[in-house]
Amino acid sequence: MASLPEITHVNFEDAQEQSRLKREALELKRDMNNTSSQDEFAKWAKLRRRHDKTMDEYEQLNKTLMAQKSSFDWSVKIARWLSTNGVKIFLQFWYSKSPVFALPEAWIPYYVQWILSFPRAPMGSVSVHVWNSVCATAVSATAEIVTSMFLQTPPTPVATAQKTQ
């Protein structure tokens, strides 16, 4: 736990250094553009060397920060996937032989019972896999309906009156 604040502190300092180098490179570029390369060659060449050195430092630091950002983004993506899809897959594996609920006998033909109990739940019951698929479909359909209701709201009378004027 003690190393985490140090890493954050170093990244903050690196970001500040990157910002400073960028400002310095822009100032040197502006000074180079304001200096005549023919009339004041020595001054221009000195500015050019400093600008090139600053840009190299900036690019090197930028690569380091981008690698750290990429690593962080990857870690967050893995954690998010595990907390959503990983939990779902674990639960489906763990409870694959357990029925979510039993169906009344002789209500549904055998082949439908087999599909509802797929892959490993007892015959005549609904498996966690099928239940998860049904719930996901219901949530998705509900979200689409609610979204379409919000997107297709009729204009208010005030807005319609303003358009006609």
Side-chain angles (χ1 to χ4, degrees), residues 21 53-64:
L21 286 171
K53 180 182 174 190
T54 305
M55 283 303 293
D56 287 341
E57 289 175 12
Y58 171 76
E59 288 172 2
Q60 197 171 30
L61 188 58
N62 195 33
K63 284 181 186 176
T64 304

Side-chain angles (χ1 to χ4, degrees), residues 143-154:
E144 283 187 33
I145 290 169
V146 169
T147 303
S148 67
M149 286 173 56
F150 279 117
L151 291 178
Q152 297 193 9
T153 57

Side-chain angles (χ1 to χ4, degrees), residues 27 36 38 41 45 48 50-52 70 78-79 83 95 98 109 119 128 134 142 153-156:
E27 288 173 10
S36 171
Q38 294 173 348
F41 181 75
R48 175 68 185 238
R50 283 182 52 204
H51 177 264
D52 290 346
S70 175
I78 294 285
S83 67
Y95 292 106
S98 302
V128 71
V134 168
T142 304
T153 57
T156 60

Side-chain angles (χ1 to χ4, degrees), residues 157-165:
V158 174
T160 309
Q162 289 176 352
K163 273 187 181 179
T164 58
Q165 292 178 358

Side-chain angles (χ1 to χ4, degrees), residues 97-103 112-118 120-127 130:
K97 290 186 178 180
S98 302
V100 176
F101 59 87
L103 299 169
V112 176
Q113 288 182 10
W114 183 83
I115 291 172
L116 291 176
S117 64
F118 186 79
R120 296 167 39 176
M123 189 60 73
S125 65
V126 176
S127 72
V130 171

